[in-house]
Amino acid sequence: MSTVHRTLAGIQASTRSFVREPFTVVLLVVLPALSIQIYGIGMGQFPDVGVFAVSGSVATVGRITGAVFATGALAGVLGLFQMISARHADRRLAICGFRGVELVTARFATVAVASAVVSVVATLSLIVLVDDPIRAPLAAFGGLAIAGAIYGLLGIVVGSVLPRELEGSLLLVILTDVDNVFASGLFGIEDSITQFAPLAHPHAIVTEAVVEGALATGHLVPALGHLSLFALLSVAAYTYQLESGGDA
Amino acid sequence: MNGASKGDDARGTADSSGDTVVSANSVEKTYDSILPFTRSVEVLDGATLHVERGQVVGIMGENGSGKSTLMGILAGVLDHDAGEVERAGPIGWCPQEPRLYDRLTVDETFQLFGTAYGMSDDEIVDARAWLTDVLDFERFRDRQIRHLSGGNRQKVNLSVALMHEPDLLLLDEPYTGFDWETFLAFWDLTEELRTRGVGVAIISHIINERDRFDVVYELHEGHLHRQEIGDDDGLSSEPTDDDVACERTASFIDEAGAGSGQRATAGQEESE
């Protein structure tokens, strides 16, 4: 039995588990639009003069911030629940013959697919809800996809070391919120601080795509750097929990 | 320091030429706590156990005595601190709590775990047909695991451990939730496996089923006490390998024998 065959079987099983939860799918469709509108309307209440340090209209930047928040939080929580729901069964599958690398690949591929789906939904919601047409929708999707992937991986880390639904979800949502505030640039916080926020660069990519219609190439490399860092962290965390018998 | 362990997955890698399918010698296990104001718990202290081919071994003990920990160590799921565990040939592990994917159907579960065991599609289909027939859950094959009753979930749990026809079966309270017919079918199946030369270790609370076992081990205060089941049910309370007398086991089994018939409902045993 080849590694590819086993890995594909693992991905197929994880993906089936993901789409068979109708409530999750409904939230996936509704929450990004809701978050974008709430942020847009909320921020739109402030005048465009000097309150916030933004390059576009406050309402537009609010909607972008809502999209980044929804993408990060949803992908993170999906990653967390992927881990919690499968951790014991993954361990049994390993005992039955799956290699660690096959399980890691299957689990990460599923989180990547889930993050991509969230990003597509958030991008479409943003296209529909933002006032002016988005001139670089692919770049906007790219920024959101990176944000989703980073938080999907963070969900794996949290699910491995804190495998509790309530505490893990709260931690992820609060982290996303704080990170997003730093990343939004709304409050003119020093770049030397905000550059370390995982969502800072993806947020800048989305903002540039929506407001300027361009790809913020200067933010692409640091964003991918964050993604790589979280990929390493999540592989380490997942491997640890797999080897500890799923009882970490 | 982890104790030595050989053959750490269900396919087994140790030498299978002998009659012993699993042996544990002087195994120690302590659950350490890194948190303040909590204490470490010593679970196993020199536990020794052997299972031969075609032997059905019962493991008993009070709640919290460490039976599931011992089973986890024998299966290679848990590390041990000291001692040696050796396995020969493929193993099948049926944990107390089914470790299955809730949103997969029964058929998909067979397919996934069969793939893990390295079985071909035809072998998986054959194994599924055999086990769904013997344990009588053929009609639930398209149901998701989360929508099954506890008893049917346990049947799938047991089937996953059995489907690759292992040399050693490690069963942690396998009949929890079974109805009477399934309970009897389980023992028929165990008898069939015994004749095929499969070694079976079962954690059980149903002491009046002791005649079905060749050997009973009682786990008490970290030690395993071995009792041969003879024709006359004359159970010894003599010290065993670890020199700890086992009066408790003998009296426990005698009492249960006297009260035979009062504990026969398989599905209502208390879980550890």
Side-chain angles (χ1 to χ4, degrees):
Chain A
M1 194 66 65
S2 71
T3 290
V4 172
H5 185 75
R6 270 198 296 262
T7 305
L8 287 176
I11 293 172
Q12 194 178 36
S14 302
T15 309
R16 278 179 173 147
S17 295
F18 170 62
V19 298
R20 281 180 181 161
E21 192 54 80
F23 190 60
T24 306
V25 177
V26 169
L27 286 180
L28 206 62
V29 174
V30 172
L31 278 183
L34 196 65
S35 173
I36 290 168
Q37 269 305 72
I38 288 172
Y39 269 82
I41 292 170
M43 299 298 294
Q45 304 304 308
F46 293 95
D48 268 352
V49 283
V51 178
F52 297 112
V54 295
S55 53
S57 80
V58 173
T60 298
V61 174
R63 288 197 168 89
I64 292 168
T65 304
V68 173
F69 171 75
T71 306
L74 273 175
V77 171
L78 285 173
L80 172 80
F81 278 76
Q82 272 277 314
M83 289 305 302
I84 292 175
S85 64
R87 57 205 302 270
H88 292 300
D90 277 0
R91 178 59 177 155
R92 186 172 190 184
L93 211 50
I95 291 292
C96 292
F98 258 66
R99 297 186 184 93
V101 67
E102 293 162 351
L103 277 170
V104 167
T105 306
R107 192 60 57 213
F108 279 57
T110 310
V111 170
V113 168
S115 301
V117 170
V118 173
S119 307
V120 167
V121 172
T123 306
L124 292 175
S125 304
L126 198 58
I127 288 171
V128 171
L129 295 171
V130 91
D131 291 336
D132 300 318
I134 297 176
R135 286 180 286 163
L138 277 180
F141 167 72
L144 289 172
I146 295 173
I150 287 175
Y151 265 81
L153 294 170
L154 187 57
I156 290 179
V157 174
V158 173
S160 299
V161 298
L162 182 67
R164 295 168 186 273
E165 292 174 356
L166 176 63
E167 293 87 339
S169 304
L170 284 174
L171 178 64
L172 278 166
V173 170
I174 290 170
L175 272 177
T176 319
D177 199 22
V178 173
D179 186 2
N180 201 31
V181 166
F182 278 110
S184 67
L186 288 170
F187 302 104
I189 302 169
E190 283 287 321
D191 283 351
S192 58
I193 298 171
T194 58
Q195 64 176 324
F196 295 110
L199 288 178
H201 302 290
H203 195 289
I205 292 171
V206 179
T207 304
E208 187 86 357
V210 173
V211 178
E212 306 293 341
L215 176 64
T217 49
H219 289 281
L220 198 55
V221 172
L224 293 174
H226 269 112
L227 186 61
S228 305
L229 175 67
F230 279 94
L232 287 174
L233 281 175
S234 53
V235 168
Y238 180 77
T239 306
Y240 165 72
Q241 77 90 19
L242 198 61
E243 290 181 353
S244 66
D247 300 316
Chain B
M1 180 189 73
N2 290 340
S5 189
K6 297 179 182 176
D8 269 353
D9 68 26
R11 296 160 297 185
T13 55
D15 172 32
S16 59
S17 58
D19 280 341
T20 302
V21 281
V22 68
S23 73
N25 292 298
S26 304
V27 172
E28 296 178 12
K29 175 71 179 176
T30 300
Y31 288 111
D32 290 317
S33 175
I34 56 170
L35 298 174
F37 310 114
T38 55
R39 63 189 181 91
S40 297
V41 179
E42 186 180 73
V43 182
L44 300 176
D45 181 18
T48 295
L49 167 149
H50 304 279
V51 180
E52 311 289 332
R53 292 185 189 281
Q55 194 177 48
V56 180
V57 171
I59 301 172
M60 297 171 180
E62 59 191 16
N63 294 338
S65 60
K67 302 184 295 297
S68 294
T69 296
L70 173 67
M71 197 61 101
I73 289 171
L74 295 179
V77 182
L78 289 174
D79 286 334
H80 47 290
D81 303 326
E84 191 173 67
V85 177
E86 288 189 56
R87 309 171 195 91
I91 65 165
W93 173 52
C94 176
Q96 186 177 9
E97 294 292 330
R99 295 182 172 214
L100 302 171
Y101 298 94
D102 279 352
R103 294 183 196 122
L104 294 187
T105 65
V106 171
D107 275 0
E108 290 162 355
T109 300
F110 272 104
Q111 187 66 41
L112 180 63
F113 280 92
T115 303
Y117 288 130
M119 299 166 68
S120 69
D121 286 348
D122 286 345
E123 289 171 332
I124 293 170
V125 169
D126 288 347
R128 188 183 68 203
W130 168 50
L131 289 161
T132 54
D133 179 49
V134 168
L135 294 173
D136 190 27
F137 63 105
E138 210 275 341
R139 61 194 176 282
F140 301 117
R141 278 178 40 202
D142 61 349
R143 291 262 182 96
Q144 291 179 33
I145 300 295
R146 61 178 166 165
H147 295 145
L148 294 175
S149 67
N152 283 320
R153 202 175 300 189
Q154 192 63 10
K155 291 177 187 177
V156 182
N157 188 27
L158 178 61
S159 299
V160 166
L162 270 167
M163 66 182 294
H164 61 309
E165 301 188 32
D167 288 346
L168 168 67
L169 257 181
L170 299 168
L171 310 177
D172 193 343
E173 298 191 40
Y175 28 59
T176 302
F178 281 1
D179 55 47
W180 183 246
E181 293 299 320
T182 310
F183 180 68
L184 295 178
F186 164 78
W187 280 111
D188 287 345
L189 182 59
T190 304
E191 206 51 48
E192 182 186 333
L193 294 170
R194 184 212 297 262
T195 58
R196 286 191 202 176
V198 178
V200 185
I202 304 175
I203 290 180
S204 174
H205 286 294
I206 306 177
I207 203 72
N208 61 357
E209 291 295 325
R210 68 192 186 283
D211 290 344
R212 299 182 187 274
F213 297 117
D214 300 307
V215 176
V216 169
Y217 286 88
E218 192 207 352
L219 186 57
H220 181 59
E221 294 184 353
H223 300 274
L224 275 170
H225 307 282
R226 190 175 195 275
Q227 298 288 332
E228 296 282 349
I229 304 296
D231 291 337
D232 58 355
D233 286 347
L235 300 176
S236 167
S237 62
E238 291 300 306
T240 52
D241 292 350
D242 50 13
D243 285 337
V244 179
C246 194
E247 294 167 4
R248 196 171 164 284
T249 299
S251 61
F252 184 43
I253 292 176
D254 286 344
E255 278 175 28
S260 178
Q262 295 176 6
R263 305 186 190 192
T265 306
Q268 296 177 359
E269 295 305 311
E270 188 180 356
S271 295
E272 185 176 351

